[in-house]
């Protein structure tokens, strides 16, 4: 085993290796890249090639394995939105593993006495602690590499790849901004780069224009980026998702403010004096995310199941989301709501038993229940997804109060029960359905038009109600809103002038808010055709890769979600429609061919097992055609 870490073009003594080595590049050294490296090491142990193998892992920063998202130096108040029990960097039951006794996050935490934060199966750990876990696992892989494998870590961004006879030479931009070509020819490449950077566009909205002195386009790392926000200033935040939560906490708790619990159990915030005077969050749908609990009672679905999907069949292998999938998912939401409602009223139902039942049976139970309790409002799934749809506001203040009340209800189980809004339980439905849906969605499993409708209409709504921040974190946001530091505004216009800087205008009563700083707290999906620099742009321009198109032969419909075209094992397809098995992809660049790549798990959309199997078998087969190897 050999391990090098390098920032320049001195790559060590390749000429000293006994045989001509095989060069492998993993471009992107975050969690997905390390999953690929782990599988490569595991397969190397299994196949036992005799060739010298040199693996280069390229990462934009020095935080290999953790990346910026799980940087161990970030503040502890930045939390995961999945509980400890669901965090595991190792494939379950993988044979072989790259290390002896791979540990889940919970197991690793139990063995480390220096961890200060409480870790239970239902708690949401800090992202910094998860970063420590990932780095520890990565270090274990490096320690247990076979003798014929050399690892080199390279800090820099791969910006181009040039094809040669036996593979590709890579061009990188290092930390100083210097661009240079590396001389090894890489036979096998794995791309795990995360979000590509889109080209700047012109728009009437500030957040889409070129950067301005009072505009923060990306909040990470938060301590560095949020330092530009002056104490006592007015800050606008576009986006009300997970990134918005991080931004707010960085501007409050991250500046020395303290959250504490009063005698009555209510959370309070003590100012440090370094906070902004006012924080104004806004977004297109006007709603914050529903918080999550770490409840480990995994919901069992009854209607949206593998067997029900098999019974549907499909035309040309494609399903329509709205007419064939959504009705079954909708039934699951109705079932969960009435299970909780019947439980609350001690109303007997077949849903309490282990007996098989149909949705028609549930509907009959529901009708009898409402006859018995006519004052109870029927469940409205559309209202669950969009509680603003049937509400009219007279002022921006009134809208703010509504959102604060919505957060209060989402955090208060007692209040949910009194209003028969079982938000906590309903958040579990799509989480339970997403795995099966991902299998259906993959590689054009939906008709083109229904895939487009899902991505534009259903996915944002499902994301808001299913993948929110931890309950305890959202309590902090509510407290800041109750104490006046946050004001939710129904913004419809953003003005930028030389005289007033940035001004937000409410669509309800045209209340105007003059900002000192505007923050973009969104991480929008990037269409590959809008990327005008970097490795993806270069590969597209050379025809080495192409953009995926979901096509329906019969209807001649098509949809381009903006990701790379891949075969079913994760290898790229070039402009001529040919599979290029020298380059494989995993993670965000596959979003559109696959669904939901953001989870911290190697088993979801796992292309790296196929890739590592292929690479090591190719190396072994080559050896068997060379004298003195087999």
């Amino acid at each position: 085993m050999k391990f090098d870490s390098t920032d320049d073009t001195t790559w060590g003594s390749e000429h000293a290796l006994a045989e001509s080595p095989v060069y492998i590049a993993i471009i992107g050294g975050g969690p997905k890249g390390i999953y690929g490296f782990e599988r490569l090491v595991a397969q190397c142990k299994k196949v036992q090639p005799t060739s010298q193998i040199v693996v280069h892992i390229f990462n934009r920063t020095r935080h290999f394995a953790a990346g910026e998202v799980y940087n161990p130096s970030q503040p502890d108040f930045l939390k995961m939105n999945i509980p400890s029990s669901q965090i595991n960097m190792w494939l379950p039951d993988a044979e072989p593993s790259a290390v002896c006794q791979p540990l889940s996050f919970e197991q690793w935490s139990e063995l480390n006495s220096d961890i200060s934060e409480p870790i239970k199966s239902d708690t949401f750990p800090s992202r910094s602690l998860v970063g420590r876990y990932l780095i520890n696992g990565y270090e274990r892989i490096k320690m247990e590499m076979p003798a014929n494998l050399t690892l080199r870590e390279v800090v820099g961004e791969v910006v181009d790849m040039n094809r040669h006879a036996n593979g590709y030479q890579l061009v990188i931009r290092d930390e100083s901004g210097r661009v240079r070509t590396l001389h090894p020819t890489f036979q096998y490449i794995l791309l795990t780069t995360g979000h590509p950077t889109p080209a700047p566009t012109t728009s009437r909205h500030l957040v889409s224009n070129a950067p301005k002195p009072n505009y923060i386009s990306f909040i990470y790392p938060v301590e560095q980026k949020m330092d530009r926000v002056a104490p006592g200033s007015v800050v606008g935040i576009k986006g009300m998702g997970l990134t918005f939560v991080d931004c707010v906490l960085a501007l409050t708790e991250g500046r020395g403010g303290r959250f504490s619990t009063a005698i009555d159990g209510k959370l309070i915030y003590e100012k440090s004096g370094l906070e902004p005077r006012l924080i104004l969050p806004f977004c297109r749908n006007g709603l914050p995310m529903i918080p999550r609990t770490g409840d480990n009672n995994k919901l069992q679905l009854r209607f949206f199941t593998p067997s029900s999907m098999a019974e549907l069949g499909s035309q040309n292998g494609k399903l329509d989301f709205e007419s064939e999938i959504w009705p079954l998912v909708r039934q699951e939401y109705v079932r969960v709501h009435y299970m909780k409602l019947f439980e609350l009223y001690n109303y007997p139902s077949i849903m309490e038993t282990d007996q098989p039942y149909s949705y028609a049976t549930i509907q009959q139970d529901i009708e009898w229940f409402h006859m018995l309790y006519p004052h109870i409002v029927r469940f409205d799934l559309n209202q669950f997804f969009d509680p603003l749809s049937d509400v009219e506001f007279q002022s921006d203040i009134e809208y703010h109060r509504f959102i604060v009340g919505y957060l209060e209800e989402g955090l208060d189980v007692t209040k949910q029960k009194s209003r028969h809004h079982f938000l906590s339980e309903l958040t579990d439905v799509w989480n339970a359905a997403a795995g099966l849906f991902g299998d259906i969605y993959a590689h054009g499993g939906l008709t083109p038009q229904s895939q487009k409708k899902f991505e534009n209409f259903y996915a944002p709504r499902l994301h808001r109600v299913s993948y929110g921040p931890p309950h305890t974190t959202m309590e902090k946001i509510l407290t800041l809103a109750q104490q006046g530091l946050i004001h939710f505004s129904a913004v419809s216009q953003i003005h930028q002038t030389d005289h007033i800087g940035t001004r937000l205008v409410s669509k309800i009563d045209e209340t105007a808010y003059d900002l000192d700083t505007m923050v973009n707290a969104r991480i929008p999906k990037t269409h590959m055709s809008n990327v005008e620099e970097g490795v993806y742009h270069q590969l597209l321009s050379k025809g080495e890769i192409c953009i995926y198109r979901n096509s329906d032969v019969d209807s001649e419909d098509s949809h381009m979600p903006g990701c790379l075209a891949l075969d079913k094992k994760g290898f790229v397809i070039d402009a001529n429609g040919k599979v290029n098995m020298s380059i494989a992809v995993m993670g965000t660049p596959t979003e559109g061919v696959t669904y939901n790549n953001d989870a911290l798990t190697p088993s979801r959309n796992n292309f790296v097992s196929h890739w590592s199997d292929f690479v090591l078998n190719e190396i072994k087969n080559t050896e068997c055609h060379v004298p003195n190897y087999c």
Side-chain angles (χ1 to χ4, degrees):
M1 176 195 74
K2 182 180 177 184
F3 168 68
D4 294 333
S5 181
T6 181
D7 302 320
D8 56 35
T9 51
T10 304
W11 296 91
S13 54
E14 280 90 2
H15 62 277
L17 296 171
E19 303 292 341
S20 178
V22 176
Y23 287 99
I24 301 171
I26 298 176
I27 302 175
K32 297 289 188 185
I34 302 312
Y35 299 158
F37 178 58
E38 187 276 333
R39 287 291 83 204
L40 201 65
V41 172
Q43 281 300 115
C44 197
K45 289 182 174 182
K46 178 181 179 180
V47 176
Q48 298 183 347
T50 56
S51 301
Q52 293 295 326
I53 301 172
V54 182
V55 179
H56 290 64
I57 301 181
F58 298 86
N59 202 47
R60 293 180 182 179
T61 71
R62 295 177 180 272
H63 305 300
F64 287 85
E68 283 304 313
V69 175
Y70 306 103
N71 184 344
S73 64
Q74 66 187 304
D76 289 344
F77 56 75
L78 299 178
K79 301 290 186 181
M80 299 290 296
N81 73 328
I82 55 175
S84 300
S85 59
Q86 296 179 22
I87 301 172
N88 192 343
M89 69 177 291
W90 313 97
L91 280 169
D93 304 319
E95 291 292 342
S97 173
V99 301
C100 296
Q101 296 183 328
L103 301 174
S104 70
F105 175 76
E106 281 189 280
Q107 292 169 331
W108 173 82
S109 300
E110 289 172 2
L111 296 175
N112 284 270
S113 58
D114 63 335
I115 295 174
S116 57
E117 60 183 275
I119 300 298
K120 297 179 181 178
S121 61
D122 61 349
T123 58
F124 295 84
S126 65
R127 295 208 293 267
S128 59
L129 184 59
V130 173
R132 285 178 56 190
Y133 165 68
L134 292 168
I135 291 170
N136 174 266
Y138 176 47
E139 293 298 324
R140 290 185 64 198
I141 298 169
K142 291 194 291 188
M143 292 297 294
E144 297 187 37
M145 290 191 306
N148 63 322
L149 197 152
T150 299
L151 172 65
R152 294 194 173 125
E153 294 176 346
V154 185
V155 180
E157 179 183 5
V158 176
V159 296
D160 198 1
M161 292 165 48
N162 295 311
R163 183 190 281 267
H164 287 258
N166 297 317
Y168 293 85
Q169 284 193 338
L170 306 186
V171 180
I172 72 163
R173 182 187 295 116
D174 62 22
E175 291 178 291
S176 68
R178 184 166 57 117
V179 177
R180 64 188 190 276
T181 300
L182 307 183
H183 295 297
T185 299
F186 294 91
Q187 291 98 319
Y188 306 102
I189 296 169
L190 177 66
L191 291 165
T192 60
T193 56
H195 293 272
T197 304
T201 59
T202 57
S203 169
R204 64 185 179 89
H205 295 301
L206 169 66
V207 292
S208 297
N209 287 342
K212 295 175 173 58
N214 66 338
Y215 173 53
I216 298 173
S217 61
F218 187 67
I219 77 163
Y220 300 105
V222 291
E223 290 179 303
Q224 174 186 329
K225 294 296 183 68
M226 293 299 104
D227 189 55
R228 292 167 54 187
V229 177
S233 60
V234 179
V235 182
I237 302 179
K238 184 163 189 178
M240 286 164 58
L242 299 173
T243 306
F244 146 72
V245 173
D246 289 351
C247 180
V248 170
L249 294 182
L251 293 171
T252 52
E253 195 171 5
R255 294 190 170 193
R258 292 181 62 248
F259 289 95
S260 59
T261 304
I263 297 175
D264 61 0
K266 186 177 180 181
L267 194 68
I268 59 175
Y269 177 72
E270 302 169 40
K271 293 183 180 180
S272 68
L274 300 176
E275 301 90 350
R277 177 170 62 84
L278 186 64
I279 298 172
L280 292 153
F282 62 97
C283 66
R284 183 178 300 172
N285 64 32
L287 292 163
M289 302 184 81
I290 295 178
R292 300 179 71 178
T293 65
D295 189 352
N296 287 317
N297 295 325
K298 190 172 182 181
L299 178 66
Q300 297 294 319
L301 302 182
R302 296 297 294 259
F303 305 121
F304 181 62
T305 62
S307 60
S308 66
M309 299 313 298
E311 290 173 7
L312 276 178
S314 61
Q315 188 173 10
N316 296 322
K318 296 180 184 291
L319 294 172
D320 183 271
F321 180 80
E322 281 196 297
S323 66
E324 297 178 289
I325 297 173
W326 180 243
L328 297 175
V329 177
R330 188 184 188 93
Q331 289 174 10
E332 299 288 1
Y333 276 105
V334 173
R335 181 179 71 93
V336 168
H337 172 84
Y338 279 100
M339 279 179 65
K340 298 306 297 182
L341 187 60
F342 292 173
E343 181 184 310
L344 184 64
Y345 280 81
N346 294 315
Y347 183 81
S349 169
I350 194 171
M351 290 188 287
E352 296 177 345
T353 71
D354 294 329
Q355 299 177 39
Y357 55 85
S358 67
Y359 186 65
T361 304
I362 295 178
Q363 286 179 305
Q364 191 175 51
D365 278 352
I366 292 171
E367 292 304 319
W368 282 107
F369 176 85
H370 282 292
M371 286 176 65
L372 188 61
Y373 300 99
H375 64 284
I376 295 178
V377 178
R378 289 177 179 270
F379 177 56
D380 185 340
L381 185 57
N382 293 329
Q383 207 274 337
F384 166 68
F385 281 111
D386 186 7
L388 295 175
S389 60
D390 57 356
V391 182
E392 291 187 7
F393 302 103
Q394 301 303 313
S395 67
D396 207 52
I397 291 290
E398 196 175 309
Y399 163 77
H400 166 77
R401 289 171 181 162
F402 178 91
I403 297 300
V404 171
Y406 182 71
L407 287 175
E408 289 173 342
E409 183 177 329
L411 293 164
D412 188 336
V413 175
T414 302
K415 187 173 289 186
Q416 288 180 37
K417 288 182 178 179
S418 68
R419 298 182 182 181
H420 308 139
H421 293 169
F422 305 104
L423 301 182
S424 299
E425 288 77 12
L426 291 172
T427 61
D428 293 335
V429 173
W430 186 247
N431 279 284
L436 174 57
F437 174 73
D439 294 340
I440 297 166
Y441 177 98
H443 303 281
L446 299 182
T447 62
Q449 290 309 306
S450 74
Q451 180 180 3
K452 183 177 181 180
K453 183 66 178 287
F454 171 78
E455 291 168 357
N456 294 337
F457 180 81
Y458 288 96
R461 288 160 175 78
L462 288 164
H463 184 89
R464 187 188 73 79
V465 304
S466 307
Y467 303 122
H471 191 278
T472 54
T473 299
M474 212 56 165
E475 279 187 299
K476 296 178 179 180
I477 299 300
L478 173 60
T479 299
L480 295 171
Q482 290 171 332
Q483 294 184 203
L485 264 71
I486 293 177
H487 176 82
F488 295 99
S489 180
V491 170
S492 63
Q493 298 180 57
I494 307 172
H495 298 298
Q496 176 77 19
T497 74
D498 294 335
H499 304 290
I500 64 169
T502 305
R503 170 172 287 176
L504 305 182
V505 180
S506 169
K507 63 183 177 183
I508 298 171
D509 58 6
E510 297 188 347
T511 300
Y513 305 93
D514 291 339
L515 306 181
D516 298 299
T517 306
M518 170 71 88
V519 180
N520 183 13
R522 304 172 306 156
I523 304 179
K525 183 179 177 181
T526 301
H527 199 293
M528 284 292 180
S529 63
N530 295 329
V531 177
E532 294 187 357
E533 62 178 17
V535 66
Y536 293 107
H537 171 70
Q538 296 297 335
L539 290 173
L540 279 168
S541 65
K542 298 170 185 176
E544 296 281 357
I545 59 176
C546 67
I547 298 174
Y548 169 66
R549 182 188 295 273
N550 180 7
S551 301
D552 190 323
V553 177
D554 287 347
S555 66
E556 298 185 358
D557 281 342
S558 67
H559 169 57
M560 297 179 70
C563 62
L564 301 182
L566 308 172
D567 77 349
K568 292 190 175 183
K569 293 187 175 181
F571 295 102
V572 300
I573 298 172
D574 67 19
N576 296 316
K578 182 180 178 182
V579 176
N580 180 354
M581 301 187 79
S582 294
I583 305 174
V585 190
M586 184 175 178
T588 303
T590 72
E591 194 83 25
V593 170
T594 61
Y595 173 71
N596 196 6
N597 282 282
D598 293 331
L600 188 69
T601 170
S603 58
R604 179 161 294 170
N605 300 317
N606 173 24
F607 291 135
V608 293
S609 289
H610 297 301
W611 174 72
S612 61
D613 287 352
F614 169 75
V615 169
L616 267 300
N617 285 322
E618 281 283 296
I619 293 171
K620 189 68 175 179
N621 289 339
T622 300
E623 291 174 355
C624 289
H625 289 86
V626 176
N628 302 323
Y629 265 94
C630 286

